[in-house]
Amino acid sequence: MLIPMKVDYAVRMLVFLAMQPEGGLTSTSTIAQQQHIPEPYLLRISADLARSGLIESRRGPGGGVRLALSASEITVGRVVDCVDHSFAAIDCLSEPTACLISGACSQRELWGDVEKMLLDYLFHIKIADLVEKQHELQGIQELALEVGSPN
């Protein structure tokens, strides 16, 4: 199962924003550059996240974006709902009429259950959890660099 890029980019953006000094605005160009996200695509994702109330956006000089809620209030499942609405492994889950046999197909129920389990899990993972993991990984990386340096 592939995670849609839109979801990946949105989560990356929110983790990045959660790691910024509280209350400050961050430009979308800074986020795009730091997170390796195409800026035009990031702007569309930002609009979805702002419409959903997950981020605040301010235009103009000195503008930018910031979290509208605390990182502990935002789940990855909610991000999926905001930007993609589904993790359907097959088209007939989101559009049953797209398949001639979807009404009598044993696989449809299987993939529906898989999608439900994944979304249930993602609604338990908070952006704050990912920030904590990111800090952990950065600490390990910094330690590895110190150990490997010839000082």
Side-chain angles (χ1 to χ4, degrees):
M1 177 179 293
L2 293 175
I3 304 303
M5 289 305 296
K6 197 171 184 182
V7 172
D8 176 47
Y9 289 163
V11 171
R12 270 200 259 169
M13 177 185 191
L14 293 172
V15 169
F16 184 82
L17 288 174
M19 294 176 72
Q20 302 310 301
E22 196 170 321
L25 293 166
T26 305
S27 73
T28 51
S29 60
T30 298
I31 298 167
Q33 181 182 25
Q34 298 270 328
Q35 294 301 303
H36 309 285
I37 302 170
E39 191 170 358
Y41 200 48
L42 183 66
L43 291 171
R44 287 192 301 242
I45 292 167
S46 296
D48 289 341
L49 294 173
R51 238 184 331 276
S52 299
L54 298 183
I55 65 169
E56 295 174 359
S57 177
R58 218 176 268 154
R59 296 176 76 150
V65 294
R66 66 176 162 222
L67 294 181
L69 304 169
S70 77
S72 61
E73 294 177 277
I74 304 170
T75 66
V76 176
R78 187 165 174 194
V79 177
V80 171
D81 279 349
C82 292
V83 299
D84 201 58
H85 312 293
S86 170
F87 265 156
I90 52 178
D91 290 337
C92 70
L93 290 177
S94 54
E95 293 184 45
T97 57
C99 177
L100 297 174
I101 62 169
S102 69
C105 178
S106 61
Q107 292 180 49
R108 184 167 183 258
E109 186 176 319
L110 166 72
W111 297 123
D113 289 347
V114 168
E115 178 186 25
K116 183 183 177 330
M117 286 189 294
L118 178 58
L119 287 171
D120 286 348
Y121 176 72
L122 294 177
F123 271 101
H124 287 92
I125 304 298
K126 296 173 176 43
I127 294 298
D129 299 330
L130 298 175
V131 168
E132 185 178 322
K133 183 67 174 177
Q134 187 67 39
H135 284 303
E136 211 176 280
L137 293 170
Q138 286 175 340
I140 291 169
Q141 187 178 30
E142 288 169 7
L143 182 61
L145 290 173
E146 286 176 19
V147 170
S149 73
N151 288 341

